């Protein structure tokens, strides 16, 4: 029996529909991980990542693992027992950072913020006199909030700044070098429009010099990963682990797609789609969750109206329209919806489709 796959519009926060270029690359012949042709693809992927990160860091590469692997790599390579990690928390992913830093042995100074609000850079910077790292999430996918990483970069002092750019890379302005990001990690499946599985990662030379030698993770030890990337033209590729060649080829194609469109154009497209969605939701009488002025275009959070069954509306959208929107997170699981406008979905047609479908679902739900 062959299963029929229904095309679904995924406006959830997770893997949305990918750019066709990224999908097409998944069907190409699978190259050997030492094949010179693959090294060229890896080189182009790393160069493209430098551009979407806004960095000149030579150590910019796709880690073999999802965004959370990047998060783990950021901490295990920079903090160990005795090191202080100041971490801004305004949602689920800031909390995950704390847990990872704790397991790496760091003394964690957790700076809490209300969910739905951006981080307060001054309060975060003042939380400890001399931390080894300060960390924050640029775009909190659990709450739909954008925080000012550049402002935190100005205040970081001697600390290394770790930034989570999973839901901003490839969709929102991201200038790692200008903003003072020392270590950054991201994911492929949010605005980059590539399937999940890799973590675009970058670390400055200065941060690399101050890294933990012999971190508890062998797999994510950045000291060992230099030769893994290799170069088609120069340094020989040395074996560390077998590169996920197909995913890297897909990433290279997806990032190439984004750069061909142009970073400015891609960012404008995300901004316009997010704003149109947010205006449309408010026109329907719905209330947005994230604080005004700090709303992510790529992920919109909206309050579920009184007496409406959140799960029933989501199920209706999926069954009737093939549209997936996300539930809320944590204590907001059944009171907030999360609607993504990411990658290829960040376009005016998606906005019209999701608003119309939600209107119909709400009419039914209220009956
Ligand atoms: C999705 C996400 C992650 C985790 O990425 P995975 O690919 O699910 O491991 C981390 N941080 C943020 C802000 C995210 O949106």
């Amino acid at each position: 029996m062959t299963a029929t796959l229904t095309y679904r519009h995924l406006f959830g926060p997770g893997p949305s529909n990918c750019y066709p270029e990224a999908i097409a690359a998944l069907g190409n012949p699978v190259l050997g991980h030492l094949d010179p042709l693959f090294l060229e693809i890896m080189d182009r992927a790393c160069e493209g990542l430098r551009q979407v990160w806004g960095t000149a860091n030579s150590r910019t590469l796709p880690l073999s693992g999802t965004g959370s692997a990047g998060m783990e790599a950021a901490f295990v390579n920079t903090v160990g027992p005795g090191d202080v990690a100041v971490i801004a928390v305004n949602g689920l992913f800031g909390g995950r950072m704390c847990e990872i830093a704790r397991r790496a042995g760091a003394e964690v100074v957790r700076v809490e913020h209300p969910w739905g609000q951006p981080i307060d850079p001054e309060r975060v910077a003042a939380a400890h006199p001399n931390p080894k790292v300060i960390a924050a999430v640029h775009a909190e996918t659990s709450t739909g909030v954008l925080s000012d990483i550049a402002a935190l970069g100005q205040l970081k002092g001697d600390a290394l700044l770790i930034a989570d750019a999973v839901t901003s890379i490839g969709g929102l302005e991201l200038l790692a070098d200008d903003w003072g990001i020392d270590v950054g990690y991201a994911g492929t499946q949010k605005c980059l429009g590539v399937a999940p599985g890799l973590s675009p990662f970058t670390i400055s030379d200065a941060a690399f010099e101050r890294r933990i030698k012999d971190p508890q993770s062998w797999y994510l030890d950045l000291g060992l990963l230099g030769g893994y990337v290799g170069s088609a033209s120069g340094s020989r590729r040395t074996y560390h682990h077998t590169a996920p060649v197909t995913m890297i080829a897909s990433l290279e194609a997806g990032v190439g797609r984004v750069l061909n469109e142009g970073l400015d154009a891609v960012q404008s497209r995300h901004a316009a789609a997010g704003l149109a969605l947010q205006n449309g939701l408010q026109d329907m009488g719905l209330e947005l969750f994230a604080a005004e002025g700090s709303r992510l275009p790529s992920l919109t959070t909206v309050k579920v109206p009184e007496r409406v069954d959140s799960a029933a509306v989501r199920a209706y959208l999926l069954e009737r329209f093939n549209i997936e929107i996300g539930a809320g997170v944590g204590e907001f699981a059944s009171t907030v919806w999360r609607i993504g406008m990411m990658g290829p979905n960040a376009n005016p047609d998606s906005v019209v489709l999701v608003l119309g479908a939600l209107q119909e679902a709400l009419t039914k739900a209220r009956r």
Side-chain angles (χ1 to χ4, degrees), residues 19-26 28 41 44-45 192-194 246-260:
Y19 285 118
E21 292 85 348
I23 296 292
L26 294 172
N28 288 342
I41 291 173
R44 282 198 301 273
L192 278 179
V194 177
T246 304
M247 274 307 303
I248 290 168
S250 182
L251 175 65
E252 185 261 329
V255 170
R257 159 69 172 69
V258 165
L259 294 174
N260 274 342

Side-chain angles (χ1 to χ4, degrees), residues 36-336:
L37 284 177
F38 171 67
L39 291 191
E40 286 178 21
I41 291 173
M42 179 70 113
D43 277 357
R44 282 198 301 273
C46 293
E47 186 43 42
L49 288 180
R50 272 179 210 105
Q51 295 189 47
V52 288
W53 270 111
T55 187
N57 290 340
S58 60
R59 293 181 186 85
T60 303
L61 72 160
L63 293 182
S64 305
T66 66
S68 301
M71 191 188 288
E72 192 139 325
F75 286 97
V76 298
N77 283 282
T78 55
V79 288
D83 292 325
V84 173
V86 168
I87 302 177
V89 178
N90 65 337
L92 176 87
F93 292 105
R96 185 175 294 180
M97 282 179 161
C98 293
E99 176 59 11
I100 289 177
R102 181 188 71 77
R103 292 184 187 207
E107 181 191 319
V108 176
V109 177
R110 183 181 173 122
V111 187
E112 291 280 359
H113 300 71
W115 284 37
Q117 295 291 325
I119 65 153
D120 176 349
E122 312 231 326
R123 197 155 64 82
V124 174
H128 191 278
N130 59 340
K132 170 102 186 267
V133 304
I134 298 178
V137 177
H138 185 209
E140 237 314 335
T141 324
S142 62
T143 60
V145 166
L146 180 68
S147 286
D148 189 348
I149 297 299
L152 194 54
Q154 298 253 312
L155 300 170
K156 69 178 178 177
D158 291 333
L160 298 171
L161 177 62
I162 297 178
D164 175 319
V166 177
T167 291
S168 51
I169 198 167
L172 277 63
E173 182 179 62
L174 179 61
L175 300 169
D177 289 355
D178 289 356
W179 294 355
I181 296 174
D182 296 287
V183 182
Y185 62 87
T188 44
Q189 76 271 29
K190 309 272 167 79
C191 301
L192 278 179
V194 177
L198 296 173
S199 178
F201 192 90
T202 191
I203 180 168
S204 67
D205 287 347
F208 187 74
E209 289 311 314
R210 291 173 63 191
R211 76 187 185 280
I212 300 290
K213 311 294 183 320
D214 278 339
Q216 45 103 339
S217 170
W218 177 90
Y219 192 67
L220 296 172
D221 180 350
L222 292 169
L224 299 177
L225 279 168
Y228 161 74
V229 175
S231 165
S233 51
S235 55
R236 232 167 53 84
R237 187 170 193 282
T238 52
Y239 171 74
H240 173 268
H241 66 277
T242 309
V245 290
T246 304
M247 274 307 303
I248 290 168
S250 182
L251 175 65
E252 185 261 329
V255 170
R257 159 69 172 69
V258 165
L259 294 174
N260 274 342
E261 184 178 345
L263 281 180
D264 284 349
V266 172
Q267 288 164 17
S268 302
R269 182 161 56 74
H270 280 78
L275 189 64
L277 175 66
Q278 287 160 17
N279 287 339
L281 291 167
Q282 288 177 306
D283 288 347
M284 283 166 61
L286 299 175
E287 204 185 326
L288 300 179
F289 175 73
E292 194 173 358
S294 301
R295 290 173 185 152
L296 283 177
S298 46
L299 193 284
T300 294
T301 43
V302 55
K303 295 183 186 173
V304 178
E306 297 270 310
R307 288 181 296 281
V308 166
D309 180 345
S310 162
V313 167
R314 293 176 59 237
Y316 183 81
L317 291 177
L318 196 58
E319 280 155 30
R320 171 80 174 80
F321 295 103
N322 276 323
I323 289 176
E324 184 195 323
I325 67 169
V329 173
E331 69 171 288
F332 304 102
S334 59
T335 53
V336 166

